[in-house]
Amino acid sequence: MSIRTTDTKEEILRIGKQFIQYYGYNAFSYADIARELKIKNAAVHYHFRGKEDLLMALIENYIQNYQLLAQQLEGSKLKAAGKINKFIERYTGLCDSDSICIIGSIASDYNTLPESVKARISELIEMVLGMVEQTLAEGKKKGELHFEESPRTRALLIMTNLAAGVQLARISGKADYEAIRKALIKQLK
Amino acid sequence: MSIRTTDTKEEILRIGKQFIQYYGYNAFSYADIARELKIKNAAVHYHFRGKEDLLMALIENYIQNYQLLAQQLEGSKLKAAGKINKFIERYTGLCDSDSICIIGSIASDYNTLPESVKARISELIEMVLGMVEQTLAEGKKKGELHFEESPRTRALLIMTNLAAGVQLARISGKADYEAIRKALIKQLK
DNA sequence: CTAAAAACTTACTTATTAGTAAGTAACTCT
DNA sequence: AGAGTTACTTACTAATAAGTAAGTTTTTAG
């Protein structure tokens, strides 16, 4: 068993994710990925038959990643506000690297995607919204969080604030994102 | 003086706007516009030297459009809530045509744009946010609107809810947008 | 050590992209 | 009516796009 210092397939995923978050899905090519990793065009095609396959793989990664977060939160002693903050932190991280979340990025290009990908994105969004919704519902039940709307609506409000917040931040600056972030936390108290 | 039934330049702008809002800025080409209008590629280049120039023209249109709205609101007898509703209505309209707002669309492709365009988008966003902020501030002062945050922050929250709301709606359905819309209105009471 | 499988590169193809130079038709102004 | 201007079309170019077939190197497993 040898130790592999670099795994090309994972590197492609890493760069692909970076490009989607930084430039947008329809603004980069396999050639760009190849150039970045100093491999050939065809090598990218070897690992991912086409761009859609790469995107699909990234979506699967994203889903797994959130499922992992769900498990961690379930087994944690964090209060509801702390759990919500874990979601918020992900967006704050994006903001720092002038990137937007994959969902927000893909949302702009949504009508250019094949049905198979659209369907999976839909599931991903349902999952994330469901997680936030459940966390909010529990927090409210325990008296840790306070809000007027239904948990679903509150989840929608929070996630749209965050998704568009990072989009806005790279145009008008991080101060606006920070204002949003602080307001979100305060609103739940 | 002849009556011109179609003005190619305006048709190009119309289709360009449609494509940006439906497919995204980096997902359509001049050839697509030409095909749609049954003119030649070069005719599009004649009116707009390059894609950036077309985008810039659309941004200018957008700015003018909002300035017009600003004038209309200033001279109107609408209460603050009614004015805010005028902003919301624009997004509701987009939602109905499976489209997203130009700003949201461009935000995804922001890092692929030349500095000149970036700067103008920045100004556009400042203008829109400023308008909403001012409306909110006046409404609060008159006791017509109620919210905790600063007018700027509240404007950020509303506009990000709307921008990402329409993005979300074409993936997860219009019901989610409607929930957001109603919550926004209710929150200000 | 060796065969097969995995991970590539080389060398293409076909389609699309943005863009332009040169020509033509139509309108408009005097 | 004729000259200039406007609004195009025709016919390209050069660059980039996705994708693939065939060959080569590297790794792994027996």
Side-chain angles (χ1 to χ4, degrees):
Chain A
M1 196 164 67
S2 73
I3 294 161
R4 208 177 280 173
T5 49
T6 58
D7 188 334
T8 304
K9 190 165 188 173
E10 280 177 23
E11 286 291 287
I12 294 171
L13 284 168
R14 209 195 83 233
I15 297 296
K17 184 181 173 186
Q18 212 173 88
F19 280 174
I20 287 177
Q21 295 182 335
Y22 194 81
Y23 297 114
Y25 178 69
N26 283 313
F28 75 92
S29 68
Y30 267 29
D32 294 324
I33 294 178
R35 198 177 306 117
E36 184 79 19
L37 296 178
K38 283 163 188 162
I39 56 176
K40 299 297 156 183
N41 209 321
V44 187
H45 280 286
Y46 172 75
H47 289 288
F48 301 97
R49 181 174 280 276
K51 220 174 157 185
E52 302 163 15
D53 305 82
L54 174 58
L55 178 58
M56 195 61 122
L58 284 171
I59 293 167
E60 297 305 332
N61 266 11
Y62 208 91
I63 289 173
Q64 277 184 19
N65 204 270
Y66 262 96
Q67 280 172 341
L68 196 70
L69 177 64
Q71 281 176 14
Q72 286 170 355
L73 293 185
E74 230 170 305
S76 82
K77 291 183 179 179
L78 281 173
K79 288 187 181 177
K83 288 179 181 178
I84 294 297
N85 212 44
K86 287 284 173 194
F87 289 95
I88 296 177
E89 273 172 9
R90 305 208 153 198
Y91 285 82
T92 310
L94 285 170
C95 203
D96 290 326
S97 58
D98 244 19
S99 299
I100 65 175
C101 81
I102 287 190
I103 297 177
S105 178
I106 290 173
S108 299
D109 298 290
Y110 191 68
N111 287 326
T112 69
L113 303 176
E115 287 305 321
S116 55
V117 179
K118 282 187 182 180
R120 201 78 182 112
I121 292 169
S122 197
E123 288 172 17
L124 163 59
I125 287 186
E126 256 347 288
M127 190 192 75
V128 177
L129 281 175
M131 282 172 65
V132 176
E133 181 183 345
Q134 214 190 320
T135 307
L136 287 169
E138 283 173 17
K140 193 174 190 180
K141 200 177 171 188
K142 288 184 185 167
E144 291 170 16
L145 300 178
H146 306 85
F147 52 92
E148 297 266 310
E149 312 86 357
S150 70
R152 170 77 181 186
T153 299
R154 190 73 232 168
L156 286 169
L157 291 171
I158 292 172
M159 295 314 285
T160 50
N161 279 147
L162 289 172
V166 294
Q167 288 172 22
L168 189 70
R170 63 179 184 187
I171 302 175
S172 80
K174 211 195 163 181
D176 282 339
Y177 172 81
E178 275 304 308
I180 290 170
R181 192 183 63 79
K182 284 177 187 163
L184 282 182
I185 293 170
K186 205 172 177 187
Q187 279 179 351
L188 292 173
K189 285 181 182 165
Chain B
M1 194 163 67
S2 72
I3 294 161
R4 207 177 282 174
T5 51
T6 57
D7 188 332
T8 304
K9 190 166 188 172
E10 280 178 21
E11 285 291 286
I12 294 171
L13 284 168
R14 209 195 83 232
I15 297 296
K17 185 181 173 187
Q18 213 174 85
F19 280 175
I20 288 179
Q21 294 182 337
Y22 194 81
Y23 297 114
Y25 179 69
N26 283 313
F28 75 92
S29 69
Y30 266 28
D32 295 323
I33 295 178
R35 199 177 306 118
E36 184 79 18
L37 296 178
K38 284 163 186 160
I39 54 175
K40 299 296 157 185
N41 210 321
V44 187
H45 280 287
Y46 171 76
H47 290 287
F48 301 97
R49 182 175 279 275
K51 220 174 157 185
E52 302 164 15
D53 304 81
L54 174 56
L55 178 57
M56 194 63 124
L58 284 171
I59 294 167
E60 297 304 333
N61 267 10
Y62 208 91
I63 289 173
Q64 277 184 19
N65 203 270
Y66 263 95
Q67 280 172 340
L68 196 69
L69 177 64
Q71 281 176 15
Q72 286 171 354
L73 293 185
E74 230 171 304
S76 83
K77 290 182 179 177
L78 281 174
K79 288 189 181 176
K83 289 180 181 177
I84 294 297
N85 212 43
K86 287 283 174 195
F87 289 96
I88 296 177
E89 273 172 11
R90 305 207 154 200
Y91 285 83
T92 309
L94 285 171
C95 204
D96 290 327
S97 59
D98 244 21
S99 298
I100 64 175
C101 80
I102 287 190
I103 297 176
S105 178
I106 290 173
S108 299
D109 299 289
Y110 191 68
N111 287 326
T112 70
L113 303 175
E115 288 305 322
S116 55
V117 179
K118 282 188 183 180
R120 201 77 182 111
I121 292 170
S122 196
E123 287 171 19
L124 163 58
I125 288 188
E126 258 343 291
M127 190 192 73
V128 177
L129 282 175
M131 282 171 66
V132 176
E133 181 183 345
Q134 214 189 320
T135 308
L136 288 168
E138 283 173 17
K140 193 175 191 180
K141 201 176 170 188
K142 289 183 185 167
E144 292 170 15
L145 301 178
H146 307 84
F147 51 92
E148 296 265 311
E149 312 86 357
S150 71
R152 170 77 180 186
T153 298
R154 189 74 232 171
L156 286 169
L157 291 171
I158 292 171
M159 295 313 285
T160 51
N161 279 147
L162 290 172
V166 294
Q167 289 173 22
L168 190 69
R170 65 179 183 186
I171 302 177
S172 79
K174 210 194 164 182
D176 281 340
Y177 172 81
E178 274 304 307
I180 291 170
R181 191 182 62 80
K182 285 176 187 164
L184 282 182
I185 294 170
K186 205 173 177 186
Q187 278 178 352
L188 291 174
K189 286 182 182 166

